[in-house]
Each structure stands twice: as structure tokens, then as C-alpha cells.
């Protein structure tokens, strides 16, 4: 009798656990999606972007400032308008007229004809402006162009 009861309890536990696990696996996905949407809305990131630079090689659009996990990040969309790979690096960077070193761990390397969203850590939440120039390098890391200083006013 106890073996039959044990087998029955085991089967019921297995059924209950399998139904709970499938229900729970769906919930975090919905919660995560909502959390991502709210983070984007709260951080002011705009999917359209504001074009801050555009020439025959590169188009750069400002998407916003993200403040996630204690890191303030300038989010830029970069579009390689050539057929060759390019690498884009921020130079001469300042936040609210104080020089800073933008960091992100990696330069933005973009294949020909493609786009990428790049986040550069900027240290602190800008109050009035962010300024930087972009160094555009070819696949051999030779600089092919350097932009003038690009200014993003936070009050616009």
C-alpha cells in the first residue's frame, strides 16, 4: 500500500512541478519586457534619434542618456554609409564643460552598410551639454576623418 501511495504522490508532484515551471517561465519574460520598456522610457532614449553628424561616410544620431545600474551612458546610433568596415571612437569629450574620457570597453566597429547602437559611459548625468568629436578609422585603424566638435544640448 505504501509503495502505491508513494508512486501516486511522486506522479502528482511531477505533474504539479512541471505545470508550475512552465507557468513561471512565461512570467519573467513578460516582466523583463515591461522592465526594459520602462527603462527606455525613463532614460529618455528615443528610437528615432536626433541626427548630430551626417556625411558620405558616417551618420550619427543621438538617442538619449541611459542611467542603468549606476552607469550613465550616452547612447548613439552609428550608420556606416560605406562598403568597408569602419571604427568610430569618441575624442575630446566633455560633460557640462568638464573634460571626461568616454569609455565603453570597445570602440564601435561597423561593417559596411550597417548600423549599430553604441553606448559610451560618460561618468555623470549631464545638466547642460555633452561635447565630443568622432575619429573615423578604416579597417587598419588609420584615421580617415575626424569630425568637428559635436555638441548635444540637454535642454533641447
Amino acid at each position: 500500500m505504501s509503495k502505491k501511495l508513494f508512486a501516486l504522490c511522486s506522479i502528482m508532484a511531477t505533474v504539479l512541478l512541471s505545470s508550475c515551471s512552465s507557468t513561471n517561465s512565461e512570467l519573467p519574460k513578460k516582466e523583463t519586457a515591461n522592465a526594459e520598456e520602462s527603462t527606455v522610457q525613463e532614460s529618455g532614449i528615443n528610437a528615432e534619434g536626433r541626427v548630430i553628424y551626417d556625411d558620405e561616410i558616417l551618420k550619427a544620431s543621438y538617442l538619449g542618456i541611459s542611467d542603468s545600474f549606476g552607469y550613465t551612458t550616452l547612447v548613439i546610433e552609428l550608420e556606416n554609409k560605406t562598403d568597408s568596415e569602419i571604427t568610430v571612437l569618441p575624442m575630446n569629450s566633455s560633460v557640462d564643460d568638464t573634460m571626461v574620457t568616454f569609455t565603453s570597453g570597445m570602440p564601435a566597429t561597423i561593417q559596411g552598410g550597417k548600423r549599430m547602437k553604441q553606448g559610451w559611459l560618460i561618468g555623470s548625468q549631464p545638466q547642460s551639454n555633452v561635447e565630443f568629436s568622432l575619429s573615423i578609422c578604416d579597417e587598419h585603424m588609420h584615421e580617415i576623418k575626424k569630425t568637428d566638435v559635436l555638441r548635444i544640448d540637454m535642454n533641447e
Side-chain angles (χ1 to χ4, degrees):
M1 174 79 175
S2 64
K3 287 183 181 181
K4 289 181 182 179
L5 183 59
F6 179 75
L8 179 63
C9 286
S10 296
I11 291 170
M12 289 176 59
T14 303
V15 169
L16 286 173
L17 287 175
S18 65
S19 67
C20 288
S21 67
S22 66
T23 303
N24 288 340
S25 67
E26 292 173 10
L27 289 177
K29 289 178 187 173
K30 291 178 185 175
E31 290 173 7
T32 302
N34 290 339
E36 288 173 6
E37 286 174 15
S38 67
T39 300
V40 168
Q41 290 172 358
E42 289 170 11
S43 65
I45 294 183
N46 178 352
E48 302 275 323
R50 176 175 26 154
V51 176
I52 57 173
Y53 182 78
D54 194 2
D55 71 5
E56 69 281 354
I57 299 171
L58 177 73
K59 178 179 178 182
S61 300
Y62 168 68
L63 300 180
I65 302 292
S66 172
D67 198 9
S68 300
F69 305 108
Y71 295 103
T72 304
T73 307
L74 174 73
V75 182
I76 302 288
E77 181 177 73
L78 302 166
E79 179 182 348
N80 181 352
K81 295 167 80 175
T82 72
D83 295 331
S84 304
E85 177 181 282
I86 61 171
T87 299
V88 180
L89 302 126
M91 310 292 286
N92 306 318
S93 312
S94 71
V95 174
D96 296 329
D97 302 318
T98 301
M99 298 301 291
V100 295
T101 302
F102 285 0
T103 58
S104 65
M106 294 221 206
T109 300
I110 314 159
Q111 298 297 314
K114 304 238 177 165
R115 297 180 204 196
M116 80 178 292
K117 288 183 183 166
Q118 178 70 10
W120 286 305
L121 301 178
I122 59 174
S124 62
Q125 184 73 31
Q127 300 303 308
S128 62
N129 65 69
V130 176
E131 292 182 334
F132 56 95
S133 58
L134 297 174
S135 175
I136 305 166
C137 301
D138 65 14
E139 63 271 7
H140 304 292
M141 289 304 291
H142 297 119
E143 186 175 76
I144 53 177
K145 189 167 208 171
K146 186 172 181 180
T147 70
D148 291 334
V149 173
L150 306 174
R151 180 180 174 96
I152 300 170
D153 289 315
M154 295 296 116
N155 300 323
E156 288 183 6

